[in-house]
Amino acid sequence: TIVLNNPRRRNALSLPMLQSLRRDLLHDVKSRELRVIVIAAEGPVFCSGHDLKELSSEDDVKHHSQVFELCAEVMTLIQKLPVPVIAKVNGLATAAGCQLVASCDIAVASEKSQFATPGVNIGLFCSTPAVALGRSLPRKVALEMLFTGEPLSAHEALMHGLVSKVVPEDKLEEETMKISQKICESSKSVLALGKATFYRQITQDLDTAYKITTKVMVDNLTLRDGQEGIEAFVQKRKPVWSH
């Protein structure tokens, strides 16, 4: 579990926060024991996006580029990791914070959570958050969020596909752990192959997507755990994964 822990700054994705998040995401990533990553936060705001003090005219273009480039690296890193990443959201997620939720593989939110891209209201359109948002939400829903800055409720976010589940606040930890534990019952190597393939094929046309995934299904069968799972099913026993 990675916890964004700067509630006084509304868990803003400052340059140090992004550097720390990247470091933590990569920590033990090759360990067989690492099976799932949960991103959570302290305080009433899950994440308020970029630290606007870093984006003032006092800092030069080079610094601004560094902030946005590192943010993009972290968001794309989440989908490149070999384990599922779950956002556990209990509060407001805005701008790059909303982008962070949209970039995770799964998102579980409490009923009080809200999601917004309000950059337009301060003259900084949420163009980088729009990349993740546009790939998670229907286009017209994403554009309404981007053009107006108005928030989605947790249930609206669920209806449009930004989050996976919405639960009462007191059930958030329990539901997140339930999903995590279910993931941990599967083979890490099979999940890693499946996750990488999902993101690879989703941007392709239908024929290319089927060519990619047909080959991967064959490759999956060559994995030790691919054969173990089938043998266990045939023998009516629980599989013993090697990961």
Side-chain angles (χ1 to χ4, degrees):
T1 301
I2 298 169
V3 182
L4 307 180
N5 192 16
N6 191 5
R8 286 196 299 177
R9 298 288 304 152
R10 295 162 62 89
N11 294 318
L13 293 177
S14 62
L15 195 57
M17 179 75 97
L18 285 166
Q19 289 166 338
S20 179
L21 183 54
R22 177 178 60 182
R23 205 162 44 241
D24 289 342
L25 285 166
L26 290 169
H27 180 70
D28 275 347
V29 75
K30 293 182 180 177
S31 167
R32 188 182 295 182
E33 281 69 43
L34 180 66
R35 309 299 308 287
V36 61
I37 295 171
V38 176
I39 300 177
E42 284 291 329
V45 176
F46 175 77
C47 180
S48 61
H50 290 293
D51 187 341
L52 296 179
K53 288 185 176 179
E54 288 186 337
L55 305 180
S56 69
S57 57
E58 293 175 15
D59 290 306
D60 60 16
V61 171
K62 185 178 177 183
H63 179 80
H64 296 163
S65 296
Q66 187 181 8
V67 170
F68 290 120
E69 285 168 7
L70 179 55
C71 185
E73 182 186 339
V74 168
M75 300 301 167
T76 53
L77 171 62
I78 288 170
Q79 295 180 358
K80 291 175 182 174
L81 291 170
V83 297
V85 181
I86 303 173
K88 185 176 85 170
V89 187
N90 188 29
L92 184 63
T94 62
C98 188
Q99 180 185 3
L100 179 59
V101 176
S103 298
C104 288
D105 304 310
I106 297 171
V108 185
S110 69
E111 291 173 329
K112 75 176 189 181
S113 299
Q114 290 187 304
F115 306 86
T117 48
V120 68
N121 297 331
I122 58 162
L124 182 65
F125 197 88
C126 286
S127 292
T128 45
V131 175
L133 220 61
R135 283 161 170 75
S136 297
L137 293 165
R139 184 177 299 181
K140 288 177 173 60
V141 177
L143 285 170
E144 183 180 346
M145 288 181 71
L146 292 160
F147 290 159
T148 68
E150 288 296 302
L152 289 184
S153 69
H155 286 289
E156 287 172 326
L158 176 64
M159 179 174 67
H160 295 305
L162 181 58
V163 301
S164 321
K165 286 196 173 180
V166 174
V167 295
E169 186 177 2
D170 61 356
K171 298 288 186 186
L172 183 60
E173 174 67 18
E174 179 186 330
E175 187 61 37
T176 306
M177 288 308 299
K178 184 177 165 186
I179 295 169
S180 300
Q181 286 161 0
K182 187 63 182 172
I183 288 168
C184 289
E185 291 175 11
S186 298
S187 160
K188 180 175 181 177
S189 53
V190 170
L191 280 175
L193 179 64
K195 175 175 171 174
T197 305
F198 178 85
Y199 286 114
R200 187 175 159 212
Q201 64 82 24
I202 201 69
T203 58
Q204 305 295 324
D205 64 80
L206 197 62
D207 288 340
T208 305
Y210 272 118
K211 281 178 186 173
I212 291 168
T213 53
T214 298
K215 182 181 183 305
V216 171
M217 292 291 284
V218 174
D219 292 342
N220 195 153
L221 286 172
T222 68
L223 292 178
R224 182 172 161 188
D225 281 350
Q227 286 303 312
E228 167 60 17
I230 291 171
E231 287 173 15
F233 179 82
V234 171
Q235 295 168 12
K236 298 182 180 178
R237 61 173 175 82
K238 287 193 75 171
V240 181
W241 305 123
S242 66
H243 305 297

